[in-house]
Amino acid sequence: IADDSEISTVGIGKGLNYRGYNIEDLANGCIFEEVLYLLLYKELPTKDQLTYFQEQIAENRYIPATLAEVIECVPKDSHPMDLMRTVASFLGTIEPESEENDQYKISIRLSAIFAPCLFYWYHFHKSGKRIEVDTHKSDTIAKNIIRLLKNDGKEPEELLVKTMEVSLILYAEHDFNASAYNARVTASTLSDFYSGITSAIGTLRGPLHGGANEAAIRFIKQFKTKEEAEAKLYEMYSQKKLVMGFGHRIYKNGDPRSDIIKEYSRKLTKTDQGRPDLFEISERIENIMMSEKKMHPNLDFYSASAYYQLGLPVDFFTPIFVVSRTSGWAAHIIEQRSRNKLIRPASNYIGPEPKKFSVLDMRSKI
């Protein structure tokens, strides 16, 4: 146990709760902004509070000219996570934390601006367009993402928006995961808020933390049939290779988020851009993993096919994770600051016993 926290429970009761609320209830009954508000302010908003909160988010989507210049300079072949890290760090230099620009305002600003920056960069390098990121004032973060992704002037389909909405809620918070804990370590040094978020993004960039859904879709996409996937799985078993998107260090009886996003992936198969073949292959893989290895899919596995059917570039899966998880990181930084103590763990030394020192001229030549 590293410390106390009142933000979320993982693997207790029904499996996952944010500030006491079950993840299934939140996913089924909320928009992401309600969950963001809950994580920041410890309670679900009233209707008036939510309206004002959404107005704040809409007002914070704009990209300053200096930041736009920096975004355009990020090479088109960079990993989008490098862009997200750069946005957080650079924004901290032009809109530094202060008494007026406090941790709550920065939380809202980053939650609002991350997706616009991602898609501004995407369209600038893809087609040379400097897109307008400040979409309709009534757009939720999820709807803003879909609108900026498509950039076709059309009203986004309701199912696409709802799938993104649910995904953002499911990825929002997960106790002392690697990136959240790194954010807390940074905050414990009394560093600024942006440094905590930047640390977290750098941690999430690693494929053993973020990136599992990217690996999962690349694995699934290589198969043309369910039978081909089945044969490959048994080959991987014999070689003791890891199948991404399965198992969890905490959830031993299944990730409660998996069935939720799986249902939305299933629904997406019936849309114009749906891929029922990928979903069927995913289900075959799940069934074999359960029967042969007793391993359940985690959130990343069916998020992979859901995101792919939304039309998200595969390299954008983890940056969308950032848009969502910024809410949890912010909650952890705020909580760490509220009762701060420097996080400085000790190591278990496994090096050599004390040695006798010799000056340079007395050391034997090898």
Side-chain angles (χ1 to χ4, degrees), residues 8 18 25 27 34 72 76 92 118 126 150 160 166 192 196 203 249-250 277 279 284 303 334 361:
S8 67
Y18 296 168
D25 294 332
E34 291 174 81
E72 291 177 12
K76 65 179 179 180
L118 176 65
K126 181 183 178 184
K150 303 300 182 183
L160 305 190
V166 169
D192 70 303
T203 306
R249 290 187 66 181
I250 296 175
D277 57 326
F279 185 82
R284 176 64 67 89
S303 292
I334 291 168
D361 289 344

Side-chain angles (χ1 to χ4, degrees), residues 14-192:
K14 289 188 177 181
L16 178 60
N17 298 283
Y18 296 168
R19 299 205 185 274
Y21 293 99
N22 179 254
I23 190 62
E24 292 179 9
D25 294 332
L26 295 173
N28 292 329
C30 291
I31 59 172
F32 175 61
E33 281 78 353
E34 291 174 81
V35 172
L36 173 56
Y37 189 100
L38 170 67
L39 291 171
L40 292 180
Y41 300 110
K42 304 183 182 181
E43 60 184 16
L44 287 168
T46 64
K47 194 170 185 178
D48 287 344
Q49 287 172 330
L50 180 60
T51 298
Y52 178 65
F53 191 59
Q54 287 184 273
E55 289 172 355
Q56 288 181 292
I57 291 169
E59 290 169 0
N60 277 281
R61 288 187 181 127
Y62 70 92
I63 301 176
T66 50
L67 178 55
E69 291 175 11
V70 169
I71 291 171
E72 291 177 12
C73 288
V74 175
K76 65 179 179 180
D77 56 353
S78 299
H79 194 286
M81 285 295 285
D82 296 341
L83 171 77
M84 304 299 271
R85 187 183 60 225
T86 299
V87 168
S89 186
F90 185 76
L91 199 62
T93 68
I94 60 174
E95 299 177 12
E97 185 173 11
S98 64
E99 265 189 55
E100 184 178 338
N101 191 34
D102 64 18
Q103 57 188 355
Y104 293 98
K105 289 183 178 177
I106 295 171
S107 300
I108 292 168
R109 178 68 162 134
L110 290 173
S111 296
I113 200 175
F114 270 142
C117 288
L118 176 65
F119 289 107
Y120 181 93
W121 175 76
Y122 172 64
H123 289 292
F124 177 77
H125 284 300
K126 181 183 178 184
S127 61
K129 294 180 181 176
R130 292 182 170 91
I131 65 166
E132 177 54 59
V133 299
D134 192 8
T135 61
H136 301 193
K137 298 295 182 185
S138 61
D139 283 355
T140 62
I141 290 174
K143 196 169 188 177
N144 176 254
I145 289 171
I146 300 299
R147 200 185 290 279
L148 293 178
L149 169 65
K150 303 300 182 183
N151 195 40
D152 57 7
K154 298 177 182 178
E155 191 66 15
E157 293 179 42
E158 188 174 329
L159 179 58
L160 305 190
V161 174
K162 181 61 177 176
T163 301
M164 179 56 67
E165 201 82 71
V166 169
S167 168
L168 294 175
I169 291 170
L170 297 179
Y171 272 115
E173 158 60 9
H174 215 233
D175 193 36
F176 279 18
N177 58 83
S179 56
Y181 194 68
N182 202 8
R184 293 185 77 119
V185 171
T186 302
S188 80
T189 70
L190 301 185
S191 190
D192 70 303

